[in-house]
Amino acid sequence: MSVAEFLRQRAVEVTVSGSYSLPRWYDCEGKLRTFACRTKRVSPFRMIVDVPVVGKVGERVTSYFQDFGEFQCTISATLKAGFLMELEMTRARRAWMSEKLTWLEKKQKDASVLELRRDARFVPQVSHTLLTLADGSIHPCFIIDVSTAGVAISCEYDPPVGTALAIGACVGRVIRKFDNGFAVKFAEKQSRDDLVRLIVRAAPLAQSA
C-alpha cells in the first residue's frame, strides 16, 4: 500500500516511542542492530514510523512499542525519514489493537480521560508464555497485557471463570472472560521489576531418548 492510500484510511495520529531492527544492519560484533523509532499514524493493520535508518520496500522489520508490544512487519512504502509498515498479527490481537487506538485517540482529545486501573497495565516485550493447570498440563498462550495484579491472556485453551492456573511462575485464578481471551488475577501482587521475568516461560526442550 502507498502512503497516500494509507493517509485516506481511518487511522490515529499518535506518537509512541519504540525500537526496530532491519535484516541487513549489524554491529561490529555481528549482532543485529536496534534503532529507536516513533509512530506518526497508526491503524490496526499498518503504521507510519519516523526512523533514523530507512529500510527498503519489501524488507522484513521487527519492531517493539511500549504501548503496543512487538510486531513482525513488512515495509510497503518509504518516506524521507520513515516508512510504512504492514503489521502481522492474529485476529484477537488486531481487535485489542483497535480498542487500544480508540482509547489513545479519546485520551488525546479529552485531557480529563485518565487511566482508571489502579495498577497500570503494560505490554511486555516478550508476548508468548506458558499456562500451567493444576493437573500439570501446559498450554502456550499470548500475553495481551499485564499489571502487578494480573494478566490478560489469549489462548487456544479456554478455561472457565474460577480456574486456578499459573502464567509462567505467577499463580492466579481466571476472574473474567472477554471476546479475545480472559483475565487472570494473581494470588499475590507482584513486583513490577520482577514481573516479566516471572510470567514469561519458554516451552521445555524435548529430552533425548
Side-chain angles (χ1 to χ4, degrees), residues 77-115:
T78 59
L79 300 125
K80 183 178 180 180
F83 44 74
L84 174 63
M85 301 192 302
E86 304 292 323
L87 309 177
E88 300 174 8
M89 65 183 94
T90 62
R91 182 179 299 180
R93 191 180 181 199
R94 210 178 293 281
W96 173 87
M97 184 78 169
S98 180
E99 293 177 359
K100 182 75 172 182
L101 287 170
T102 298
W103 185 84
L104 286 171
E105 186 174 44
K106 185 177 180 181
K107 181 182 178 182
Q108 288 183 152
K109 293 179 179 178
D110 184 358
S112 67
V113 174
L114 300 174
E115 172 61 78

Side-chain angles (χ1 to χ4, degrees), residues 160-174:
V161 171
T163 301
L165 45 75
I167 303 299
C170 293
V171 177
R173 192 174 295 274
V174 178

Side-chain angles (χ1 to χ4, degrees), residues 15-92:
T15 300
V16 177
S17 296
S19 61
Y20 72 103
S21 59
L22 295 167
R24 56 195 171 89
W25 288 85
Y26 296 88
D27 62 18
C28 58
E29 297 178 356
K31 295 179 181 178
L32 201 61
R33 288 190 62 187
T34 299
F35 302 94
C37 63
R38 197 157 35 243
T39 66
K40 293 184 66 177
R41 181 179 174 83
V42 185
S43 83
F45 296 90
R46 50 191 60 88
M47 65 170 67
I48 293 175
V49 289
D50 279 333
V51 299
V53 177
V54 178
K56 297 178 180 179
V57 171
E59 276 190 324
R60 300 274 297 168
V61 178
T62 298
S63 62
Y64 173 76
F65 301 89
Q66 182 66 34
D67 285 352
F68 303 133
E70 182 174 322
F71 296 111
Q72 296 299 319
C73 325
T74 302
I75 298 174
S76 58
T78 59
L79 300 125
K80 183 178 180 180
F83 44 74
L84 174 63
M85 301 192 302
E86 304 292 323
L87 309 177
E88 300 174 8
M89 65 183 94
T90 62
R91 182 179 299 180

